[in-house]
Amino acid sequence: MRHAEVAAAIQKLTKRKYTSSLTRVELHLLDVASNTQALKFHIATGLGVVTGGNGAGKSTLLRALRAFDQSTVGDWPDYLRSVEISGESNGTAWKALASRNDGLLDQGITITGDHPKVTWMDPSLESERVRARLGLDSNFKDLLEGFDPARLDQAWVDHTSRLLRRQYDYIEVVEFDGEDDSVMPWFKVSSHGSTYDTLSMGRGELSAIHLVWRLSRISKGEIVVIDEPEANLATYSQSKLKDLLAYISTKGDTQFIVATHAPDFYLGLLGDCVTVAEALPVRAARGPMSSRAAARALGVPARPSLVAVAEDAAAGALLDAIIHAVDPAIQDSVQLCHATDGESQLARMENELVTVGGAPKIRIIPVFDGDQRKRGQSSDRLYLPGDLAPEQNIRSVLTRMLPVLRDDSLREAGVSHPQTFRMKISQLDGSDHHDWFVELSQEFGSYAVLSAVLVNLCMKDKDFALDAGDLVRRIRALA
């Protein structure tokens, strides 16, 4: 799974049509006066995230959803009386209701419509249960002798290597029956010449491998609910787990609903994908909202690792649009600024800025306009696409493309009225490229909106796309 595939998967999450989806959960809870209150969660398709503080209701939500996988309400809190879920499957609506009576399912689960399979996972809890059982059995090796080990497919091994930043040669698994008729896995892995098994793994490694094993067993169209999959994982692995689930979701037609405490898991996801649960002053679920809005709502500060400085406001807006078009997952790692004195200020910053106290915690890099580029000469400098001033280059590319672009393509790029757009471009013919950009931005309301439209269109041009891809690749390597 290459980085370009991850970036493409994250962009597709909000656009893909899924065979099955779960978009609404309604919990019926008893308050202190024994009155029933409804708590409604609206869930994003693709990769829907539920987050919030401790005691906000995330675990209650996931325990409720567990009933639709394992037909049990045994771990429901006393105040949870029933849950109703709904969504779409194969283009038609469905809903299901589970209620309790003295700790048992009351009259089973009532289903209306084509109800998709719901699979519940808690990799940290499940993997520790397996280890506890094997650790207490002094003869566990005799138990395993009755089963033939199987190796995970290389693709899943590669996913694990990327997730844990450790190269695995193979991952073997023996599946045996648990006490509750569940399937329990025992793992043996080889990495860098060392071979070890479940009992020798750290908690984070074991939990991650257990999760990958379970993901390898899901089928197309399932709704997969995962409780805190980032538990015990390093920050790096939390971010890579998001990438893995996005990739599996778009490739395998699978909706994931994930409860998490970790902003590193969801920051970088596009669209309104995060639902925030709150306990005070009253129980509530807000969203879905953007990953940035969710992080702000929980008081999580932005944590960029790189500051990229463009020559002016227009160049800065175009740089932001290029990053969003090529690899939106790195946007939260990059703070964009623009100079007030153009190229000369960037050159001074490049030559005169000195880091004090060792390696920089936040890197500051200038991004020059394309007209400063000298093709054929090796340079560590970063440049916007093309060999012209950015507005001039965008205009040149658009002039070549516009006669052959269909109105549908313009609308997909964000142009609401294609004919008006074409007329405006024609009216601005012959104007200075700076004036061209400023006047055209007035039609869209801001540099940012115009830049997003123009970059979306210019990404259809091979040379522009190559330069943009190279720029973002180098920014990613520095971030």
Side-chain angles (χ1 to χ4, degrees):
M1 182 173 59
R2 299 179 63 85
H3 193 95
E5 294 176 297
V6 172
I10 288 176
Q11 289 182 316
K12 290 178 182 177
L13 278 174
T14 57
K15 302 176 182 178
R16 194 191 196 287
K17 299 296 183 182
Y18 288 85
T19 301
S20 300
S21 62
L22 191 165
T23 55
R24 185 176 177 274
V25 180
E26 183 171 321
L27 306 181
H28 299 120
L29 310 168
L30 293 181
D31 61 17
V32 292
S34 296
N35 297 316
T36 301
Q37 295 183 340
L39 177 58
K40 301 176 183 179
F41 290 81
H42 296 277
I43 310 294
T45 57
L47 179 50
V49 178
V50 180
T51 189
N54 293 319
K58 302 184 301 301
S59 295
T60 301
L61 170 68
L62 265 69
R63 288 173 183 173
L65 293 176
R66 186 180 183 183
F68 299 96
D69 177 23
Q70 302 174 7
S71 299
T72 178
V73 296
D75 62 348
W76 281 19
D78 291 339
Y79 55 80
L80 176 58
R81 308 311 300 172
S82 64
V83 57
E84 181 178 301
I85 61 176
S86 57
E88 288 191 0
S89 183
N90 295 306
T92 60
W94 63 268
K95 66 179 180 179
L97 172 68
S99 57
R100 66 184 293 173
N101 183 11
D102 294 330
L104 301 174
L105 275 174
D106 182 17
Q107 299 179 351
I109 296 175
T110 304
I111 300 173
T112 304
D114 185 12
H115 175 229
K117 177 176 173 55
V118 176
T119 299
W120 184 88
M121 301 180 186
D122 185 338
S124 179
L125 177 64
E126 294 168 10
S127 59
E128 284 303 313
R129 283 179 176 172
V130 175
R131 176 147 59 187
R133 177 176 177 183
L134 295 179
L136 292 173
D137 189 345
S138 59
N139 298 315
F140 79 90
K141 291 186 177 179
D142 295 334
L143 170 69
L144 299 176
E145 285 182 358
F147 299 89
D148 294 326
R151 291 193 174 185
L152 291 184
D153 290 345
Q154 189 59 46
W156 291 106
V157 176
D158 292 342
H159 288 324
T160 309
S161 297
R162 188 174 189 274
L163 176 60
L164 293 174
R165 197 154 55 177
R166 173 180 295 182
Q167 186 63 45
Y168 290 93
D169 304 313
Y170 64 79
I171 299 175
E172 286 186 350
V173 57
V174 172
E175 299 175 356
F176 59 96
D177 295 331
E179 296 177 352
D180 55 355
D181 295 328
S182 63
V183 177
M184 286 189 162
W186 171 85
F187 301 110
K188 183 172 75 173
V189 304
S190 175
S191 176
H192 296 285
S194 177
T195 301
Y196 52 98
D197 63 18
T198 291
L199 296 181
S200 302
M201 294 179 186
R203 296 181 67 180
E205 181 182 23
L206 177 59
S207 177
I209 292 176
H210 184 97
L211 175 60
V212 169
W213 167 73
R214 290 216 57 187
L215 292 175
S216 72
R217 296 159 57 90
I218 63 177
S219 302
K220 178 180 179 180
E222 286 189 34
I223 310 296
V224 179
V225 182
I226 313 179
D227 193 2
E228 297 186 16
E230 81 288 352
N232 304 312
L233 293 183
T235 300
Y236 170 91
S237 296
Q238 293 173 4
S239 178
K240 295 306 176 187
L241 179 58
K242 166 192 64 188
D243 298 344
L244 175 59
L245 294 185
Y247 181 81
I248 296 173
S249 175
T250 55
K251 290 290 185 180
D253 191 19
T254 303
Q255 181 187 8
F256 289 103
I257 301 173
V258 180
T260 179
H261 283 288
D264 289 293
F265 174 78
Y266 57 79
L267 281 172
L269 292 174
L270 303 182
D272 295 334
C273 58
V274 184
T275 300
V276 177
E278 298 177 346
L280 298 173
V282 295
R283 290 189 179 273
R286 309 192 187 283
M289 63 185 71
S290 71
S291 61
R292 293 184 183 184
R296 286 195 300 270
L298 295 175
V300 179
R303 291 175 290 177
S305 58
L306 182 144
V307 176
V309 187
E311 291 192 19
D312 54 35
L318 289 168
L319 176 58
D320 187 33
I322 288 169
I323 292 175
H324 182 82
V326 176
D327 189 358
I330 68 171
Q331 283 187 302
D332 290 300
S333 301
V334 181
Q335 175 69 56
L336 298 181
C337 303
H338 67 82
T340 57
D341 195 19
E343 183 271 335
S344 61
Q345 188 173 6
L346 263 64
R348 290 197 304 273
M349 181 182 70
E350 181 182 48
N351 296 324
E352 298 174 6
L353 192 64
V354 178
T355 299
V356 177
K361 296 180 178 65
I362 298 178
R363 303 190 66 168
I364 302 177
I365 58 168
V367 180
F368 293 89
D369 288 355
D371 56 358
Q372 302 296 319
R373 186 197 310 267
K374 296 180 180 178
R375 297 279 186 182
Q377 293 186 14
S378 177
S379 174
D380 292 331
R381 278 186 170 187
L382 301 184
Y383 298 94
L384 289 173
D387 301 312
L388 305 171
E391 303 96 327
Q392 189 176 1
N393 183 56
I394 289 276
R395 182 180 188 177
S396 175
V397 173
L398 186 62
T399 300
R400 293 198 307 269
M401 296 177 59
L402 199 56
V404 297
L405 282 175
R406 299 170 60 91
D407 286 354
D408 287 346
S409 297
L410 293 174
R411 292 189 184 95
E412 289 175 2
V415 178
S416 302
H417 305 287
Q419 291 305 316
T420 302
F421 178 74
R422 293 179 191 275
M423 290 175 59
K424 187 63 178 180
I425 294 294
S426 178
Q427 292 171 7
L428 294 175
D429 189 34
S431 62
D432 173 81
H433 59 270
H434 296 292
D435 295 338
W436 177 87
F437 188 87
V438 170
E439 292 192 38
L440 195 57
S441 70
Q442 294 171 358
E443 298 293 318
F444 287 85
S446 70
Y447 282 4
V449 176
L450 173 63
S451 295
V453 170
L454 295 179
V455 168
N456 285 339
L457 291 171
C458 289
M459 287 297 292
K460 301 177 185 297
D461 178 80
K462 180 180 178 181
D463 292 335
F464 185 95
L466 285 173
D467 279 351
D470 180 67
L471 170 61
V472 176
R473 176 186 59 78
R474 294 180 64 185
I475 290 175
R476 183 193 312 131
L478 294 169

